[in-house]
Amino acid sequence: KRSRWALLSTWTDKCEVKSYGRAKDEDDDDKKKDDMGPCKHLLYVTKDMGRTFSLVASYVVQFSWGDASHDQQDRIYFSHFRKKSGDQHKLSGWSDNVDFAYTDNMGQSVRKLVHHGNKFLVSNGFIMVVKLKSKESQTVNLKISSDGGGDFKEAKLPE
């Protein structure tokens, strides 16, 4: 990663109002709450140690820089909700509405890598992605790539 670059995420103000019940009683505050837009988790990048930020993605679950061992140190991997409207709920179980993706140009274009890929880890040249198998039974598969996301193979785990 570049020494002056960083990723930052934040929840929109509506999430705080909804979660903590602030601004409940006054009509003006209720109107402000309505004007805030939906509750969502936003991912930003800075290339100047926080002086300026650019939006990378919205409705984000998780994010990480790519691995330098595959010359992907400028790549941003993230999982995100497919639906980009309404309030984002915190991920409390495995979701069929979340995909694992990446961007090589700070969010200008996004490529989906694993449909239903909810959570992931980028480490030591590997990318491991937990992919939803069944929403009803909340079962998952573990997908692993050793080539920087070019190909994912299903891990064989004991039951």
Side-chain angles (χ1 to χ4, degrees):
K1 294 180 262 307
R2 307 296 189 246
S3 64
R4 301 180 62 76
W5 292 18
L7 296 173
L8 171 115
S9 71
T10 185
W11 289 87
T12 57
D13 287 342
K14 170 96 178 269
C15 306
E16 189 172 332
V17 169
K18 184 177 175 186
S19 296
Y20 299 108
R22 282 189 350 198
K24 274 192 213 176
D25 300 329
E26 298 176 29
D27 290 338
D28 286 346
D29 287 338
D30 284 339
K31 183 171 180 348
K32 285 180 197 168
K33 184 170 90 174
D34 291 339
D35 291 342
M36 286 183 193
C39 167
K40 55 188 172 182
H41 192 201
L42 303 173
L43 174 61
Y44 292 92
V45 65
T46 180
K47 293 183 176 182
D48 56 15
M49 290 298 287
R51 268 196 286 251
T52 61
F53 289 92
S54 299
L55 181 66
V56 174
S58 61
Y59 293 86
V60 171
V61 175
Q62 183 185 353
F63 58 91
S64 176
W65 289 111
D67 197 318
S69 68
H70 293 291
D71 197 29
Q72 295 176 342
Q73 61 271 21
D74 297 345
R75 177 171 286 183
I76 302 169
Y77 289 105
F78 58 98
S79 53
H80 63 115
F81 283 91
R82 215 172 296 121
K83 182 182 164 204
K84 305 288 188 200
S85 62
D87 288 341
Q88 176 180 347
H89 302 285
K90 297 211 165 52
L91 193 65
S92 59
W94 304 113
S95 173
D96 60 353
N97 296 312
V98 174
D99 295 324
F100 175 64
Y102 75 87
T103 180
D104 283 329
N105 53 19
M106 307 301 160
Q108 293 176 10
S109 62
V110 172
R111 179 165 177 247
K112 178 170 52 177
L113 283 177
V114 179
H115 186 69
H116 294 170
N118 280 222
K119 293 285 193 159
F120 68 94
L121 174 68
V122 178
S123 180
N124 295 315
F126 292 93
I127 303 171
M128 293 164 256
V129 180
V130 176
K131 178 181 178 175
L132 178 69
K133 183 177 181 181
S134 166
K135 182 178 180 178
E136 292 72 29
S137 63
Q138 287 291 287
T139 54
V140 295
N141 291 325
L142 179 61
K143 306 292 253 179
I144 301 175
S145 174
S146 60
D147 64 357
D151 183 44
F152 284 87
K153 297 192 181 342
E154 192 170 314
K156 307 284 188 222
L157 300 173
E159 296 210 18

